[in-house]
Amino acid sequence: MHHGQTLFNQLKRVQGACDSPLTDLGKQQAKQAEDYFAQKEINFAAAYASTQERACDTMEIIRSDQAYTRKKGIKEWNYRSYIESKGQVVKEKTLNAEDTQQIVDWLKNCGLEFYLESNNGLFASKNFASRGVKTIQEYIAYKGKPGAKQATPATVFPDMIYGESLYRDDVNKISFILDSYDDYLAAQEKFPSLKVGTWGGSGEKALFGDIALKDIDKAVAIDELLDFLAKNVEDTLAFGDAKVDIPMLDHCQIGVAMGNGGKEIKEMANYITASVEDDGLYEAFEHFQIIN
């Protein structure tokens, strides 16, 4: 089963391999699952959870009286450049150490605060925690979520790591706070061989810039995985709720948009299910007769 709502779900942020804790609603959803299993007298011979905090917390709620095994092999994929199947790494492609160092040095010289995303965690620049308060609050307000004035980088990124070396060879993406839209344009000019984008607002209202490898998206990852499994794209079904998921839904045989997704992904999807919080995955599984 899938975990319930997390903080990143609530903020409509892609979490991938990053740890994002369960919200109070997520914990309530896990308790509802525990009650359902008890009512139906469903027992399990063995229980497994990924090493993600959200998965372990869910397991400890629904199977409080049963020991379980934590398995790294079922940890959620990082959506950009990491593919894993049944514990085996199919492909991992990251920014090389030289590119990462050049980006980090350029951001520091520009006085821009930033963080690195890797499969080993999030690593922030020295002053991201203080500089990021205003931007995080603006971002949450932009998303129309409550509690914007109380939000900080610590509440949104509780597992952010500070004080470690930022010259790394395991980085998938680097996000940085935009002091102005010109910072994004400057990054595009500085790193033409990389993919430079924005998020947290449209066009010149964007709050963040990001830098990653070019020509890598979820559709590419699907093809890599299908080749590894010797399967056909005609046998695929994909779920998504954000713009970044559109190439994957478009590529797969059936594309399912979650009810909490944006207008763009709903317009191109083959089917729209309920939101993540309202058991949309379960509803779609029933609709497509994956489960009875």
Side-chain angles (χ1 to χ4, degrees):
M1 64 168 285
H2 198 271
H3 58 75
Q5 185 193 65
T6 67
L7 181 61
F8 275 26
N9 294 153
Q10 192 176 56
L11 298 175
K12 294 187 177 181
R13 284 279 286 122
V14 177
Q15 58 197 5
C18 301
D19 244 333
S20 177
L22 293 175
T23 61
D24 289 341
L25 175 59
K27 294 174 183 178
Q28 292 172 13
Q29 290 167 332
K31 184 63 172 64
Q32 289 171 353
E34 178 192 31
D35 294 341
Y36 174 84
F37 292 142
Q39 291 169 6
K40 299 293 184 179
E41 297 183 351
I42 297 174
N43 297 306
F44 299 90
Y48 302 89
S50 84
T51 54
Q52 297 279 19
E53 175 190 355
R54 56 185 179 264
C56 293
D57 287 350
T58 299
M59 180 64 75
E60 288 166 11
I61 292 172
I62 66 171
R63 307 306 298 165
S64 58
D65 59 346
Q66 181 177 5
Y68 70 96
T69 302
R70 300 186 183 196
K71 293 179 70 69
K72 291 183 179 180
I74 54 176
K75 183 178 179 180
E76 190 161 359
W77 302 349
N78 187 292
Y79 77 94
R80 282 192 175 266
S81 53
Y82 182 81
I83 306 171
E84 183 178 301
S85 176
K86 297 181 179 179
Q88 182 175 349
V89 177
V90 177
K91 185 174 183 178
E92 183 173 15
K93 191 173 182 181
T94 61
L95 291 166
N96 62 47
E98 181 180 357
D99 282 341
T100 298
Q101 182 170 344
Q102 289 178 354
I103 297 167
V104 166
D105 288 345
W106 182 79
L107 290 169
K108 286 182 177 179
N109 289 336
C110 292
L112 299 174
E113 298 303 324
F114 60 93
Y115 65 92
L116 316 180
E117 292 187 19
S118 84
N119 289 339
N120 294 305
L122 302 179
F123 299 85
S125 58
K126 181 179 179 180
N127 298 314
F128 182 82
S130 55
R131 170 62 183 85
V133 173
K134 179 175 180 291
T135 304
I136 290 295
Q137 291 176 352
E138 289 177 350
Y139 175 71
I140 294 177
Y142 160 74
K143 300 299 288 186
K145 297 295 182 181
K149 292 183 179 180
Q150 290 74 43
T152 67
T155 60
V156 174
F157 302 109
D159 297 307
M160 186 74 80
I161 299 168
Y162 294 88
E164 295 288 331
S165 173
L166 300 174
Y167 296 155
R168 306 181 61 86
D169 61 2
D170 60 351
V171 176
N172 301 303
K173 183 177 73 169
I174 300 176
S175 287
F176 57 98
I177 297 173
L178 295 172
D179 287 340
S180 75
Y181 192 71
D182 287 341
D183 296 328
Y184 158 67
L185 298 176
Q188 273 194 318
E189 183 177 354
K190 179 67 177 178
F191 304 105
S193 64
L194 299 173
K195 182 179 180 180
V196 180
T198 62
W199 57 276
S202 299
E204 296 186 6
K205 295 183 179 179
L207 297 170
F208 291 90
D210 59 20
I211 305 173
L213 293 172
K214 276 187 175 179
D215 303 321
I216 292 181
D217 60 26
K218 293 187 177 184
V220 173
I222 290 292
D223 278 339
E224 293 276 359
L225 182 59
L226 290 174
D227 286 344
F228 175 77
L229 298 173
K231 300 292 184 180
N232 298 316
V233 72
E234 290 79 11
D235 299 322
T236 57
L237 182 151
F239 293 85
D241 62 3
K243 287 183 182 179
V244 72
D245 298 320
I246 288 177
M248 176 177 64
L249 267 64
D250 185 54
H251 186 59
C252 290
Q253 184 69 17
I254 299 173
V256 180
M258 305 303 295
N260 54 287
K263 178 182 178 182
E264 295 91 342
I265 196 167
K266 288 180 178 178
E267 287 180 345
M268 60 77 58
N270 301 113
Y271 179 75
I272 301 174
T273 187
S275 68
V276 172
E277 293 85 353
D278 295 326
D279 297 325
L281 290 173
Y282 186 89
E283 178 184 306
F285 289 157
E286 284 193 319
H287 175 80
F288 290 104
Q289 300 181 342
I290 297 172
I291 57 177
N292 297 318

